[in-house]
Amino acid sequence: MAPISIKSVLISESVDPRCRAILEENGIRVTEKQNMKKDELIAEIKDYDGLVVRSATKVTADIINAADNLKIIGRAGTGVDNVDVDAATKKGIIVMNTPSGNTISAAELTCALLMSLSRNVPQAAMSMKQGNWDRKKFMGAELFGKVLGIVGLGRIGKEVASRMQSFGMRTIGYDPITPPEVSASWGVEQMSLEQLWPQCDYITVHTPLMPSTVGLLNDETFAKCKKGVKVVNCARGGIIDEAALVRALESGQCGGAGLDVFVEEPPKERSLINHPNVISCPHLGASTKEAQARCGEDIALQIVDMVQGKKLVGAVSSTQLFTCHLAGDMNLCFHQIKPAFSACWVFILDPGKILYSRCFIIYWTMCHSVCPNAMFSLQPNNYHRSLNDFDQLLSSLRCVNG
Ligand SMILES: NC(=O)C1=CN([C@@H]2O[C@H](COP(=O)(O)OP(=O)(O)OC[C@H]3O[C@@H](n4cnc5c(N)ncnc54)[C@H](O)[C@@H]3O)[C@@H](O)[C@H]2O)C=CC1
Ligand SMILES: O=C(O)C(=O)COP(=O)(O)O
C-alpha cells in the first residue's frame, strides 16, 4: 500500500494520552481541542490531515466538505454512525475505527445492567441514601433459568452471551450474518426474531445503528414479547424505539429497561430516564481505563501504519484503489465497488481467505445500506460461511438490489 502523508492530526474528544504520544513519536503534529461547536470545527478542520474522534463529535457532510486537507477520520472506538461515511468516501477520506478495543468493557456494562435490572440495585442504593430500609419494595428475581435474547451476535453480543451463561441463563439470538453454527459454538441458539420475541425474559441489542436496526424494538415487536420483558440497550439510541419503550413501560408490557445510549446525547427528553423502572448511564460502555487505553493506542498505531504504507487495518471506507497488506497477511486489492452490490469488483490475491473478505463486504454493505465507491477492511473473525451459502446470499442481495 502506498504511504499517505499525515503531518497534523486534530483530536476533538477525550482520547487516551497514548494516542497523542504515539502520533508525536512518529513525527505527526497533534492538537487537542474538545467541545467544539460545529462552526468552530468547520473553521478548525481545514488545517489538518487527520481527525480523531469518539462518539460525541458529529462528523457531518458539511464538516467533511470543509476539510480541504483531510485524509483520515479515525474513530477511537467502534460505532461510526457519528461519521458521514458516505460523504467521506466521496471525498476520498479514509474512515477507520478500532473495533475490538472496547468490546469487553461494553459487554461488562451490559451484564451490569442486566444484573441491576434483576435485583433493582440502583434503585435500592438510592433509597438507602435517602435513609430508607425497604426490603419489600426491591424484591427481585433470579437470572438463573431465565431466557436472554441477544439481537446482534458480533463481538459484544458474543461476550455478553458467555458471561450471562455463567449465571445459568439460556441464551438465544438473532443475527443475519453470523452463521448459526458459529453462534452455537458460543452457546447461543439462533432463530428468527418472530420466534425470539415471545421467549425472552430479557432482551439485549448489540447491532450497529443503521436504517435496518432503527426501531428493532417498537410497539409491534414489544407486543410480541412476554409481558414484563426487560430490555437493555448498550449499543445505540434508537435501536429500541424510545417512545415505544415509554409506552411499553407504562402498560407494564416492558418490566424494566437498562439504557446506556440515547437518540439524543445528552437527552433533553427525560421521560425515559425519570421512569422508575429505568436505570440509565451516560454512554459509559467504553468508559474504562482499559478500553480507552486500547482504543487510543490502536487508532494511533493504525494511522502510523497507514502513513508508513505498512498496512491498513480498521478502515471502513475509501475511494482510492489500494493494494493493502492487512493484518493476518491477507493481500487484498479492492477496486471500485460501484453503487450496486452486484457490480462490485473485488480482487483477492489470497484465495484461501476469499470467503472471509467477501462476507465482510456483504456485512458492510448491509450495515451502511448504501454501497460505497470502494471499501476494504478486515474486521470480523467469525463470518465463515460455505461458498454455497455465500453465493446464495449474494443472489438474494442481487435480487434486492435489482
Ligand atoms: N455503549 C458503548 O459505549 C458502546 C457501544 N457500541 C455499539 O455496539 C455495537 C456493536 O458492536 P460490536 O459487537 O463490536 O459490533 P460487531 O460488528 O462485532 O457486531 C454487530 C453484529 O450486529 C449484526 N447485525 C447487523 N444487522 C443486524 C440486524 N438487523 N439484526 C441483528 N443483528 C444484526 C451484525 O451481523 C454483527 O454480527 C456498535 O456498532 C456500537 O454502536 C460499541 C462499543 C461501545
Ligand atoms: O465505540 C463505540 O461505539 C462507543 O459507543 C463508545 O463511544 P465513546 O468512545 O465512549 O464515545
Side-chain angles (χ1 to χ4, degrees), residues 78-79 81 99 102 106 151-157 174-178 206-208 210 212-213 216 234-236 260-261 283 285-286 363 383:
T78 307
D81 47 283
N102 57 27
V151 181
L153 296 164
R155 288 174 294 260
I156 299 171
Y174 168 74
D175 191 301
I177 300 288
T178 302
H206 298 288
T207 70
M210 49 191 178
S212 59
T213 60
L216 258 177
C234 276
R236 278 294 177 276
D260 184 44
V261 286
H283 200 147
Y363 167 66
Y383 303 136

mmCIF file of all heavy atoms in Angstrom, residues 78-79 81 99 102 106 151-157 174-178 206-208 210 212-213 216 234-236 260-261 283 285-286 363 383, ligand 1:
data_model
loop_
_atom_site.group_PDB
_atom_site.id
_atom_site.type_symbol
_atom_site.label_atom_id
_atom_site.label_comp_id
_atom_site.label_asym_id
_atom_site.label_seq_id
_atom_site.Cartn_x
_atom_site.Cartn_y
_atom_site.Cartn_z
ATOM 1 N N THR A 78 -15.827 1.956 18.359
ATOM 2 C CA THR A 78 -16.438 1.017 17.414
ATOM 3 C C THR A 78 -17.394 1.675 16.422
ATOM 4 O O THR A 78 -17.181 1.650 15.211
ATOM 5 C CB THR A 78 -17.203 -0.077 18.201
ATOM 6 O OG1 THR A 78 -16.320 -0.651 19.163
ATOM 7 C CG2 THR A 78 -17.721 -1.165 17.282
ATOM 8 N N GLY A 79 -18.497 2.243 16.942
ATOM 9 C CA GLY A 79 -19.571 2.745 16.075
ATOM 10 C C GLY A 79 -19.104 3.943 15.251
ATOM 11 O O GLY A 79 -18.497 4.869 15.783
ATOM 12 N N ASP A 81 -21.378 5.584 13.376
ATOM 13 C CA ASP A 81 -22.634 6.233 12.978
ATOM 14 C C ASP A 81 -22.602 7.734 13.175
ATOM 15 O O ASP A 81 -23.470 8.451 12.670
ATOM 16 C CB ASP A 81 -23.819 5.604 13.737
ATOM 17 C CG ASP A 81 -23.533 5.479 15.213
ATOM 18 O OD1 ASP A 81 -22.779 4.561 15.607
ATOM 19 O OD2 ASP A 81 -24.010 6.305 15.982
ATOM 20 N N PRO A 99 -12.213 -1.587 16.193
ATOM 21 C CA PRO A 99 -13.420 -2.340 16.530
ATOM 22 C C PRO A 99 -13.371 -3.228 17.759
ATOM 23 O O PRO A 99 -14.405 -3.529 18.325
ATOM 24 C CB PRO A 99 -13.670 -3.180 15.272
ATOM 25 C CG PRO A 99 -12.368 -3.229 14.570
ATOM 26 C CD PRO A 99 -11.646 -1.967 14.900
ATOM 27 N N ASN A 102 -12.924 -1.829 22.723
ATOM 28 C CA ASN A 102 -13.843 -1.628 23.852
ATOM 29 C C ASN A 102 -14.899 -2.737 23.984
ATOM 30 O O ASN A 102 -15.867 -2.598 24.728
ATOM 31 C CB ASN A 102 -14.498 -0.237 23.785
ATOM 32 C CG ASN A 102 -15.233 0.009 22.479
ATOM 33 O OD1 ASN A 102 -15.703 -0.924 21.839
ATOM 34 N ND2 ASN A 102 -15.362 1.269 22.096
ATOM 35 N N ALA A 106 -17.845 -2.856 26.933
ATOM 36 C CA ALA A 106 -19.269 -2.704 26.589
ATOM 37 C C ALA A 106 -20.048 -3.946 27.031
ATOM 38 O O ALA A 106 -21.177 -3.838 27.534
ATOM 39 C CB ALA A 106 -19.419 -2.481 25.089
ATOM 40 N N VAL A 151 -29.858 -9.719 20.319
ATOM 41 C CA VAL A 151 -30.062 -9.333 18.927
ATOM 42 C C VAL A 151 -28.775 -8.657 18.455
ATOM 43 O O VAL A 151 -28.422 -7.579 18.936
ATOM 44 C CB VAL A 151 -31.290 -8.396 18.786
ATOM 45 C CG1 VAL A 151 -31.502 -8.033 17.321
ATOM 46 C CG2 VAL A 151 -32.536 -9.060 19.356
ATOM 47 N N GLY A 152 -28.057 -9.335 17.559
ATOM 48 C CA GLY A 152 -26.731 -8.868 17.147
ATOM 49 C C GLY A 152 -25.689 -9.722 17.826
ATOM 50 O O GLY A 152 -25.373 -9.527 19.000
ATOM 51 N N LEU A 153 -25.176 -10.713 17.077
ATOM 52 C CA LEU A 153 -24.224 -11.664 17.668
ATOM 53 C C LEU A 153 -22.827 -11.446 17.101
ATOM 54 O O LEU A 153 -22.229 -12.323 16.495
ATOM 55 C CB LEU A 153 -24.709 -13.099 17.399
ATOM 56 C CG LEU A 153 -26.054 -13.437 18.067
ATOM 57 C CD1 LEU A 153 -26.656 -14.693 17.467
ATOM 58 C CD2 LEU A 153 -25.875 -13.586 19.569
ATOM 59 N N GLY A 154 -22.350 -10.226 17.286
ATOM 60 C CA GLY A 154 -20.981 -9.909 16.866
ATOM 61 C C GLY A 154 -20.071 -9.996 18.080
ATOM 62 O O GLY A 154 -20.268 -10.823 18.968
ATOM 63 N N ARG A 155 -19.084 -9.102 18.083
ATOM 64 C CA ARG A 155 -18.090 -9.164 19.169
ATOM 65 C C ARG A 155 -18.731 -9.009 20.550
ATOM 66 O O ARG A 155 -18.497 -9.803 21.463
ATOM 67 C CB ARG A 155 -17.038 -8.062 18.959
ATOM 68 C CG ARG A 155 -16.082 -8.309 17.815
ATOM 69 C CD ARG A 155 -15.196 -7.102 17.595
ATOM 70 N NE ARG A 155 -15.998 -5.976 17.133
ATOM 71 C CZ ARG A 155 -16.098 -5.591 15.864
ATOM 72 N NH1 ARG A 155 -15.417 -6.207 14.939
ATOM 73 N NH2 ARG A 155 -16.864 -4.571 15.525
ATOM 74 N N ILE A 156 -19.550 -7.966 20.725
ATOM 75 C CA ILE A 156 -20.089 -7.690 22.066
ATOM 76 C C ILE A 156 -21.173 -8.709 22.435
ATOM 77 O O ILE A 156 -21.183 -9.250 23.549
ATOM 78 C CB ILE A 156 -20.614 -6.236 22.154
ATOM 79 C CG1 ILE A 156 -19.459 -5.257 21.891
ATOM 80 C CG2 ILE A 156 -21.240 -5.968 23.519
ATOM 81 C CD1 ILE A 156 -19.857 -3.807 21.741
ATOM 82 N N GLY A 157 -22.069 -8.987 21.491
ATOM 83 C CA GLY A 157 -23.140 -9.947 21.757
ATOM 84 C C GLY A 157 -22.593 -11.275 22.250
ATOM 85 O O GLY A 157 -23.110 -11.895 23.181
ATOM 86 N N TYR A 174 -30.355 -13.630 17.440
ATOM 87 C CA TYR A 174 -30.608 -13.453 16.007
ATOM 88 C C TYR A 174 -29.511 -12.573 15.423
ATOM 89 O O TYR A 174 -29.121 -11.562 16.036
ATOM 90 C CB TYR A 174 -31.977 -12.790 15.773
ATOM 91 C CG TYR A 174 -32.139 -12.337 14.346
ATOM 92 C CD1 TYR A 174 -32.370 -13.275 13.336
ATOM 93 C CD2 TYR A 174 -31.995 -10.988 13.994
ATOM 94 C CE1 TYR A 174 -32.473 -12.871 12.010
ATOM 95 C CE2 TYR A 174 -32.101 -10.585 12.665
ATOM 96 C CZ TYR A 174 -32.342 -11.527 11.684
ATOM 97 O OH TYR A 174 -32.423 -11.140 10.380
ATOM 98 N N ASP A 175 -29.025 -12.957 14.258
ATOM 99 C CA ASP A 175 -28.036 -12.147 13.540
ATOM 100 C C ASP A 175 -28.104 -12.570 12.074
ATOM 101 O O ASP A 175 -28.057 -13.772 11.775
ATOM 102 C CB ASP A 175 -26.627 -12.404 14.100
ATOM 103 C CG ASP A 175 -25.605 -11.411 13.583
ATOM 104 O OD1 ASP A 175 -25.412 -11.334 12.340
ATOM 105 O OD2 ASP A 175 -24.978 -10.711 14.398
ATOM 106 N N PRO A 176 -28.248 -11.616 11.153
ATOM 107 C CA PRO A 176 -28.390 -12.009 9.752
ATOM 108 C C PRO A 176 -27.092 -12.501 9.117
ATOM 109 O O PRO A 176 -27.115 -13.080 8.032
ATOM 110 C CB PRO A 176 -28.857 -10.723 9.064
ATOM 111 C CG PRO A 176 -28.391 -9.622 9.934
ATOM 112 C CD PRO A 176 -28.352 -10.163 11.329
ATOM 113 N N ILE A 177 -25.963 -12.285 9.755
ATOM 114 C CA ILE A 177 -24.677 -12.642 9.143
ATOM 115 C C ILE A 177 -23.967 -13.769 9.897
ATOM 116 O O ILE A 177 -23.468 -14.708 9.297
ATOM 117 C CB ILE A 177 -23.733 -11.413 9.087
ATOM 118 C CG1 ILE A 177 -24.351 -10.287 8.270
ATOM 119 C CG2 ILE A 177 -22.368 -11.791 8.545
ATOM 120 C CD1 ILE A 177 -24.401 -10.521 6.783
ATOM 121 N N THR A 178 -23.918 -13.669 11.200
ATOM 122 C CA THR A 178 -23.204 -14.712 11.947
ATOM 123 C C THR A 178 -23.914 -16.048 11.741
ATOM 124 O O THR A 178 -25.108 -16.174 12.036
ATOM 125 C CB THR A 178 -23.169 -14.363 13.451
ATOM 126 O OG1 THR A 178 -22.548 -13.094 13.583
ATOM 127 C CG2 THR A 178 -22.378 -15.384 14.244
ATOM 128 N N HIS A 206 -27.292 -5.602 20.303
ATOM 129 C CA HIS A 206 -25.865 -5.328 20.042
ATOM 130 C C HIS A 206 -25.598 -5.215 18.552
ATOM 131 O O HIS A 206 -24.653 -5.816 18.025
ATOM 132 C CB HIS A 206 -24.997 -6.420 20.681
ATOM 133 C CG HIS A 206 -25.147 -6.449 22.163
ATOM 134 N ND1 HIS A 206 -24.613 -5.476 22.979
ATOM 135 C CD2 HIS A 206 -25.851 -7.280 22.975
ATOM 136 C CE1 HIS A 206 -24.950 -5.721 24.227
ATOM 137 N NE2 HIS A 206 -25.704 -6.800 24.257
ATOM 138 N N THR A 207 -26.416 -4.451 17.865
ATOM 139 C CA THR A 207 -26.220 -4.220 16.430
ATOM 140 C C THR A 207 -25.657 -2.810 16.240
ATOM 141 O O THR A 207 -25.789 -1.970 17.126
ATOM 142 C CB THR A 207 -27.556 -4.306 15.669
ATOM 143 O OG1 THR A 207 -28.344 -3.166 16.033
ATOM 144 C CG2 THR A 207 -28.318 -5.568 16.002
ATOM 145 N N PRO A 208 -25.079 -2.543 15.082
ATOM 146 C CA PRO A 208 -24.761 -1.142 14.781
ATOM 147 C C PRO A 208 -26.066 -0.376 14.564
ATOM 148 O O PRO A 208 -27.111 -0.983 14.321
ATOM 149 C CB PRO A 208 -23.975 -1.226 13.459
ATOM 150 C CG PRO A 208 -23.656 -2.674 13.257
ATOM 151 C CD PRO A 208 -24.684 -3.455 14.004
ATOM 152 N N MET A 210 -28.191 1.547 12.097
ATOM 153 C CA MET A 210 -28.306 1.713 10.640
ATOM 154 C C MET A 210 -29.787 1.613 10.310
ATOM 155 O O MET A 210 -30.586 1.205 11.177
ATOM 156 C CB MET A 210 -27.482 0.658 9.912
ATOM 157 C CG MET A 210 -27.723 -0.735 10.411
ATOM 158 S SD MET A 210 -26.522 -1.873 9.742
ATOM 159 C CE MET A 210 -27.023 -3.367 10.534
ATOM 160 N N SER A 212 -31.716 -0.432 8.955
ATOM 161 C CA SER A 212 -32.413 -1.687 9.237
ATOM 162 C C SER A 212 -32.487 -2.022 10.726
ATOM 163 O O SER A 212 -33.177 -2.968 11.112
ATOM 164 C CB SER A 212 -31.740 -2.836 8.486
ATOM 165 O OG SER A 212 -30.386 -2.917 8.886
ATOM 166 N N THR A 213 -31.775 -1.293 11.566
ATOM 167 C CA THR A 213 -31.853 -1.602 13.004
ATOM 168 C C THR A 213 -32.559 -0.501 13.803
ATOM 169 O O THR A 213 -32.759 -0.652 15.005
ATOM 170 C CB THR A 213 -30.450 -1.846 13.617
ATOM 171 O OG1 THR A 213 -29.653 -0.676 13.451
ATOM 172 C CG2 THR A 213 -29.754 -3.017 12.964
ATOM 173 N N LEU A 216 -35.799 -1.550 16.035
ATOM 174 C CA LEU A 216 -35.942 -3.021 16.045
ATOM 175 C C LEU A 216 -36.967 -3.438 17.092
ATOM 176 O O LEU A 216 -37.779 -4.321 16.884
ATOM 177 C CB LEU A 216 -34.603 -3.656 16.401
ATOM 178 C CG LEU A 216 -33.771 -4.255 15.289
ATOM 179 C CD1 LEU A 216 -32.452 -4.773 15.842
ATOM 180 C CD2 LEU A 216 -34.507 -5.369 14.573
ATOM 181 N N CYS A 234 -27.126 -1.161 25.182
ATOM 182 C CA CYS A 234 -25.769 -0.600 25.329
ATOM 183 C C CYS A 234 -25.171 -0.434 23.939
ATOM 184 O O CYS A 234 -23.945 -0.382 23.796
ATOM 185 C CB CYS A 234 -24.877 -1.533 26.139
ATOM 186 S SG CYS A 234 -25.072 -1.320 27.897
ATOM 187 N N ALA A 235 -26.014 -0.410 22.896
ATOM 188 C CA ALA A 235 -25.490 -0.306 21.527
ATOM 189 C C ALA A 235 -25.657 1.134 21.023
ATOM 190 O O ALA A 235 -24.706 1.922 21.088
ATOM 191 C CB ALA A 235 -26.178 -1.312 20.622
ATOM 192 N N ARG A 236 -26.843 1.491 20.574
ATOM 193 C CA ARG A 236 -27.085 2.853 20.123
ATOM 194 C C ARG A 236 -28.526 3.252 20.392
ATOM 195 O O ARG A 236 -29.449 2.448 20.209
ATOM 196 C CB ARG A 236 -26.831 3.005 18.622
ATOM 197 C CG ARG A 236 -25.380 3.203 18.250
ATOM 198 C CD ARG A 236 -24.812 4.536 18.778
ATOM 199 N NE ARG A 236 -23.407 4.697 18.472
ATOM 200 C CZ ARG A 236 -22.406 4.194 19.205
ATOM 201 N NH1 ARG A 236 -22.645 3.504 20.307
ATOM 202 N NH2 ARG A 236 -21.151 4.417 18.844
ATOM 203 N N ASP A 260 -27.840 2.659 28.164
ATOM 204 C CA ASP A 260 -26.556 3.375 28.192
ATOM 205 C C ASP A 260 -26.502 4.443 27.110
ATOM 206 O O ASP A 260 -25.636 5.301 27.133
ATOM 207 C CB ASP A 260 -25.410 2.367 27.977
ATOM 208 C CG ASP A 260 -24.034 3.017 28.097
ATOM 209 O OD1 ASP A 260 -23.838 3.814 29.049
ATOM 210 O OD2 ASP A 260 -23.155 2.745 27.259
ATOM 211 N N VAL A 261 -27.401 4.331 26.144
ATOM 212 C CA VAL A 261 -27.319 5.181 24.949
ATOM 213 C C VAL A 261 -28.699 5.744 24.602
ATOM 214 O O VAL A 261 -29.723 5.115 24.894
ATOM 215 C CB VAL A 261 -26.769 4.354 23.759
ATOM 216 C CG1 VAL A 261 -25.286 4.095 23.908
ATOM 217 C CG2 VAL A 261 -27.509 3.030 23.624
ATOM 218 N N HIS A 283 -23.795 6.942 28.492
ATOM 219 C CA HIS A 283 -22.947 6.342 27.448
ATOM 220 C C HIS A 283 -21.572 5.955 28.017
ATOM 221 O O HIS A 283 -20.531 6.474 27.601
ATOM 222 C CB HIS A 283 -22.793 7.305 26.257
ATOM 223 C CG HIS A 283 -22.375 6.614 24.985
ATOM 224 N ND1 HIS A 283 -22.786 7.039 23.747
ATOM 225 C CD2 HIS A 283 -21.581 5.540 24.751
ATOM 226 C CE1 HIS A 283 -22.260 6.257 22.809
ATOM 227 N NE2 HIS A 283 -21.521 5.342 23.410
ATOM 228 N N GLY A 285 -20.403 2.712 28.134
ATOM 229 C CA GLY A 285 -19.970 1.376 27.695
ATOM 230 C C GLY A 285 -18.471 1.254 27.497
ATOM 231 O O GLY A 285 -17.861 0.249 27.871
ATOM 232 N N ALA A 286 -17.868 2.268 26.905
ATOM 233 C CA ALA A 286 -16.428 2.186 26.594
ATOM 234 C C ALA A 286 -15.592 2.958 27.606
ATOM 235 O O ALA A 286 -14.385 3.089 27.433
ATOM 236 C CB ALA A 286 -16.189 2.744 25.195
ATOM 237 N N TYR A 363 -21.484 -7.747 4.835
ATOM 238 C CA TYR A 363 -21.797 -7.207 6.151
ATOM 239 C C TYR A 363 -21.744 -5.681 6.110
ATOM 240 O O TYR A 363 -22.640 -4.991 6.543
ATOM 241 C CB TYR A 363 -20.791 -7.774 7.156
ATOM 242 C CG TYR A 363 -20.799 -7.069 8.466
ATOM 243 C CD1 TYR A 363 -21.916 -7.141 9.284
ATOM 244 C CD2 TYR A 363 -19.711 -6.315 8.881
ATOM 245 C CE1 TYR A 363 -21.939 -6.478 10.485
ATOM 246 C CE2 TYR A 363 -19.742 -5.652 10.078
ATOM 247 C CZ TYR A 363 -20.851 -5.741 10.884
ATOM 248 O OH TYR A 363 -20.884 -5.079 12.068
ATOM 249 N N TYR A 383 -17.109 -14.768 10.509
ATOM 250 C CA TYR A 383 -18.101 -14.853 9.457
ATOM 251 C C TYR A 383 -17.713 -15.899 8.415
ATOM 252 O O TYR A 383 -17.440 -15.593 7.275
ATOM 253 C CB TYR A 383 -18.317 -13.487 8.800
ATOM 254 C CG TYR A 383 -18.714 -12.437 9.793
ATOM 255 C CD1 TYR A 383 -18.155 -11.183 9.766
ATOM 256 C CD2 TYR A 383 -19.655 -12.726 10.771
ATOM 257 C CE1 TYR A 383 -18.515 -10.234 10.703
ATOM 258 C CE2 TYR A 383 -20.012 -11.784 11.713
ATOM 259 C CZ TYR A 383 -19.445 -10.543 11.679
ATOM 260 O OH TYR A 383 -19.799 -9.612 12.592
HETATM 261 N N1 LIG B 1 -22.215 1.834 24.672
HETATM 262 C C1 LIG B 1 -20.989 1.902 24.204
HETATM 263 O O1 LIG B 1 -20.161 2.643 24.720
HETATM 264 C C2 LIG B 1 -20.583 1.064 23.046
HETATM 265 C C3 LIG B 1 -21.475 0.772 22.059
HETATM 266 N N2 LIG B 1 -21.098 0.030 20.981
HETATM 267 C C4 LIG B 1 -22.124 -0.259 19.968
HETATM 268 O O2 LIG B 1 -22.260 -1.655 19.869
HETATM 269 C C5 LIG B 1 -22.411 -2.007 18.506
HETATM 270 C C6 LIG B 1 -21.987 -3.442 18.287
HETATM 271 O O3 LIG B 1 -20.594 -3.564 18.479
HETATM 272 P P1 LIG B 1 -19.804 -4.906 18.111
HETATM 273 O O4 LIG B 1 -20.438 -6.084 18.741
HETATM 274 O O5 LIG B 1 -18.380 -4.642 18.344
HETATM 275 O O6 LIG B 1 -20.078 -4.955 16.542
HETATM 276 P P2 LIG B 1 -19.993 -6.217 15.565
HETATM 277 O O7 LIG B 1 -19.884 -5.654 14.208
HETATM 278 O O8 LIG B 1 -18.963 -7.188 16.039
HETATM 279 O O9 LIG B 1 -21.420 -6.912 15.769
HETATM 280 C C7 LIG B 1 -22.608 -6.356 15.302
HETATM 281 C C8 LIG B 1 -23.485 -7.508 14.861
HETATM 282 O O10 LIG B 1 -24.778 -6.996 14.538
HETATM 283 C C9 LIG B 1 -25.260 -7.811 13.479
HETATM 284 N N3 LIG B 1 -26.392 -7.192 12.829
HETATM 285 C C10 LIG B 1 -26.414 -6.300 11.813
HETATM 286 N N4 LIG B 1 -27.692 -6.022 11.485
HETATM 287 C C11 LIG B 1 -28.485 -6.751 12.310
HETATM 288 C C12 LIG B 1 -29.888 -6.887 12.458
HETATM 289 N N5 LIG B 1 -30.742 -6.221 11.686
HETATM 290 N N6 LIG B 1 -30.350 -7.731 13.409
HETATM 291 C C13 LIG B 1 -29.492 -8.427 14.195
HETATM 292 N N7 LIG B 1 -28.152 -8.332 14.098
HETATM 293 C C14 LIG B 1 -27.658 -7.504 13.164
HETATM 294 C C15 LIG B 1 -24.050 -7.985 12.584
HETATM 295 O O11 LIG B 1 -24.218 -9.064 11.691
HETATM 296 C C16 LIG B 1 -22.958 -8.215 13.589
HETATM 297 O O12 LIG B 1 -22.755 -9.590 13.863
HETATM 298 C C17 LIG B 1 -21.538 -0.972 17.771
HETATM 299 O O13 LIG B 1 -21.952 -0.793 16.438
HETATM 300 C C18 LIG B 1 -21.728 0.273 18.588
HETATM 301 O O14 LIG B 1 -22.784 1.031 18.067
HETATM 302 C C19 LIG B 1 -19.835 -0.468 20.853
HETATM 303 C C20 LIG B 1 -18.906 -0.215 21.813
HETATM 304 C C21 LIG B 1 -19.196 0.588 22.986
#
